[in-house]
Each structure stands twice: as C-alpha cells, then as structure tokens.
Amino acid sequence: MKIAVSLALCAGLSSVALAVPTNTTLPGGWSWAPLAGGSFTSSGATARGGANGQTTGPFTDTSFGVMDESGTPWFTGNDLSAQQYVQRQVFSNFGTGSPPGPSGARFFNPGYQGTGFGSNFPRTASEQRGVTLNHWSNAFPDAGGVATLNQIVYVPVAATLSVGLGWGGDEMLLRIIGGTSGARSQFFVDATLGAGFSSPAFGGITSTGNTIRVNAIVQANDGGSGSYDVAWGYGASNASQVNVSRSGGIDAVFVNGQFVQDPSQGVGPNSVGYGFTNNYNVLSALVQSGGTFNLDFASSADINNLVRNSGNADARASMGPGFEGTATLTVQWAAFQAIPTPGSMALLGLGGLLAARRRR
C-alpha cells in the first residue's frame, strides 16, 4: 500500500521508475527501494481591503486604493497607493463634496495625478500588489556521495506553479448633469482595464497583454437643474432611463494578447470582469533549498473616451476598478531508501557456502 500511495502521488509508475536518485551513488549490490512519497504546497493571494468604515477583518474588497494596510484597512484619503475610481467628464468638473472617513462616503478624491481636492478622479489609475510563496525545502536531497545503509532520498517528480488573475470594474455609472428638462442626450463611453503578473523565479514567469475593452452608447433623460446616475456597464436594466448598446466591435477580452471572448457581466450588475489561471511546469528550475520568492501583480484602468453624440446635457463616466492575484506552488516527490538488494545477498550467500565446501 505504501508503494501504491507513492505511485499515486508521483503521477505514475513510469515517473517513479525514471526518478530514482542520480547524484547519490549506490554501493555494489545495493538498490533504491521505493517508499511512500509526498507533496508540498505553498499558496498565497494579494491583500484585500475593507468596506466603508470597516476596521477589522475579514476584508473582502479588491478595489484599487483599499489595501489592508496597517492603520488604514479601508480608504481614508491618506493611502496614496492609488485612487478608487476613474472618471471622465465631457465638459466640466462635477467633483464631489463628501469628505473621506467612516462618517462620509468613500467616493472622494483627495487629489491624484494633478487633480484637485474634492474634484473628479483622474481618468486613469494603476495599482500593484504582491504575493510571497515558500520554495520547497527538501529534507533528504539527492546531494551526491555514496549512499549509506537505509539512507533516504527525496526526488521531485512534478512541480507546478499555478497563477490566477482576476480583474475588472464595477460601479460603472454615468452621471447625467444639467441639460434641457424633458429632452434626452446620448453619450459614448469607452474604457480599458488591463492586468498582468511577473516573477523572476524559475527563470522568469510573465503574463502580459491581458485586457478588457468595453464601451457603450447611453441615451438618457437630461438632468435639467440637477443630476442623476444611470448605468453604462453590463447588466444595465433601467430601460426607462438608459438604453445601452454595443457598437464598433470594440468590446473584447484578451489574455496574453490573444482574443478569448466578448466581455460579460462581472461580479454583479453593471460591472465587467474576467479571470484565468496559468499553470507552469517548474520542475527543471525547482529550488529545493527553501527560502521565498515573490510574484508581482499589477492592474490599470482607463476611461479612454467620453463623447456626447447628441443633446445638451453634460455627463461624467465613473468606474471602480479592482483585481486580485493568487498563486500556488505544488511539488510532488518520490522517496527512496538505500538497501542491499535482497536477491544479490542470497546469491552471494550461496556462492560463499559452495566455495567453502570446495575448500574442504
């Protein structure tokens, strides 16, 4: 049964047969006896932030600018790692008057990329987050030399690094500002969200060219003397106020630069998102001496364009970008023990006995 467990963990008899120690030399007449193998796993994920006013975990928000940093588990305005939203307005600067803090709204710009305090967020944003994993520490490496009696050696037979990436945006709102009461205006919104990851470990792990391109044509009643929000993202359903349609073949999702699908609704209504996992065979570059390695994840968002096609109203497009990265290193090994070969011992014993009889 121990051999069966070892073979299962080591992904087949042929793999184990080919994975016997090669650096450690056996004395004459000895062999490697297979033992039960095992596996090692190290996993991690990028940090998350808290909801409005949340000061204790668990934290579940993957939005830009809400990292679970010491003293600032949610966005207070003092965390300048990135803004929470991207915005673009056709003609003016609507701004927001709500101060940051548990008693106020998180929808507030303390000033980024040349913007002013309380003004619209800039049209672009980016953020980086990291994951640290442990390398495998081989307790009984195939280190060389001559094997001693019952010496145990672990030989890695499979090693996979799985890296997951999910990114997108929500709160895709178009604020209709002013215009002619009773009239309607039409706007075109176009946005891009990108993400990727990299690591110098195992000779270099990189994924680039991951992009979501999403656009919409929105028709809505003018705001008159006021303003109000309508949805422009996927899942927009308020038909009396907004008519969302896709045009121009711009909508697309790319992974590693290759088209994979049209965008679809993300984590909820009025959002867009996509995720994938890449598996890398890292056996040939496997580190067996322990230590750690890092994976760097990055994401960006840009409202590329906002145009009024017709009407008299102004409008501001908003989107809340977010992303998350995960990583798991899994190593499977076969275990062997150095022993004198039983068959050889029996033959040697018989030969010695016959020789002794001849000497008499």
Side-chain angles (χ1 to χ4, degrees):
M1 291 300 293
K2 288 185 177 179
I3 293 177
V5 171
S6 176
L7 300 185
L9 288 171
C10 297
L13 178 61
S14 60
S15 297
V16 174
L18 295 173
V20 295
T22 56
N23 297 324
T24 305
T25 304
L26 288 171
W30 287 34
S31 61
W32 290 111
L35 304 175
S39 64
F40 163 85
T41 300
S42 179
S43 299
T46 53
R48 297 177 174 184
N52 186 24
Q54 182 181 358
T55 57
T56 58
F59 301 106
T60 60
D61 196 341
T62 62
S63 300
F64 285 17
V66 291
M67 294 293 292
D68 178 18
E69 297 172 354
S70 177
T72 56
W74 70 286
F75 186 75
T76 65
N78 297 317
D79 175 8
L80 301 181
S81 61
Q83 66 268 15
Q84 289 179 271
Y85 296 90
V86 288
Q87 295 179 329
R88 186 164 185 159
Q89 193 163 334
V90 179
F91 296 111
S92 187
N93 192 323
F94 186 81
T96 176
S98 178
S103 61
R106 299 168 67 186
F107 196 76
F108 185 83
N109 178 21
Y112 291 98
Q113 299 179 9
T115 64
F117 186 87
S119 66
N120 290 342
F121 285 96
R123 51 169 281 194
T124 63
S126 62
E127 185 149 317
Q128 295 183 345
R129 298 169 184 172
V131 171
T132 300
L133 298 185
N134 295 315
H135 281 297
W136 178 43
S137 180
N138 189 342
F140 304 102
D142 183 14
V146 179
T148 58
L149 182 62
N150 294 326
Q151 179 179 345
I152 294 175
V153 174
Y154 288 170
V155 179
V157 294
T160 302
L161 178 66
S162 298
V163 186
L165 177 64
W167 79 106
D170 61 3
E171 299 174 270
M172 300 167 74
L173 300 175
L174 187 68
R175 176 155 291 242
I176 310 300
I177 305 166
T180 304
S181 296
R184 289 171 69 81
S185 296
Q186 184 187 92
F187 301 92
F188 170 74
V189 192
D190 179 28
T192 301
L193 299 111
F197 55 82
S198 64
S199 175
F202 309 111
I205 302 294
T206 303
S207 177
T208 60
N210 309 305
T211 304
I212 301 173
R213 184 77 178 268
V214 57
N215 68 99
I217 294 176
V218 179
Q219 298 183 58
N221 295 332
D222 288 0
S225 59
S227 65
Y228 70 102
D229 289 323
V230 295
W232 70 269
Y234 282 84
S237 59
N238 189 353
S240 63
Q241 296 291 338
V242 58
N243 177 21
V244 179
S245 61
R246 309 295 155 186
S247 67
I250 295 177
D251 288 6
V253 176
F254 296 89
V255 173
N256 294 325
Q258 300 297 314
F259 174 80
V260 293
Q261 69 172 52
D262 293 328
S264 61
Q265 185 173 311
V267 295
N270 199 34
S271 66
V272 64
Y274 190 77
F276 65 91
T277 298
N278 284 352
N279 294 312
Y280 301 93
N281 182 350
V282 296
L283 182 61
S284 63
L286 184 66
V287 174
Q288 302 184 42
S289 56
T292 62
F293 65 97
N294 297 323
L295 290 100
D296 297 319
F297 294 83
S299 184
S300 62
D302 189 343
I303 299 182
N304 307 309
N305 210 354
L306 173 62
V307 178
R308 186 179 69 185
N309 292 335
S310 63
N312 296 313
D314 192 5
R316 181 186 68 184
S318 299
M319 179 171 60
F323 75 109
E324 184 169 43
T326 63
T328 300
L329 173 65
T330 303
V331 179
Q332 296 177 332
W333 72 83
F336 298 90
Q337 187 174 34
I339 61 171
T341 303
S344 300
M345 291 297 289
L347 290 173
L348 287 172
L350 178 60
L353 179 59
L354 292 175
R357 288 179 177 176
R358 283 196 295 270
R359 285 195 296 270
R360 290 180 185 154

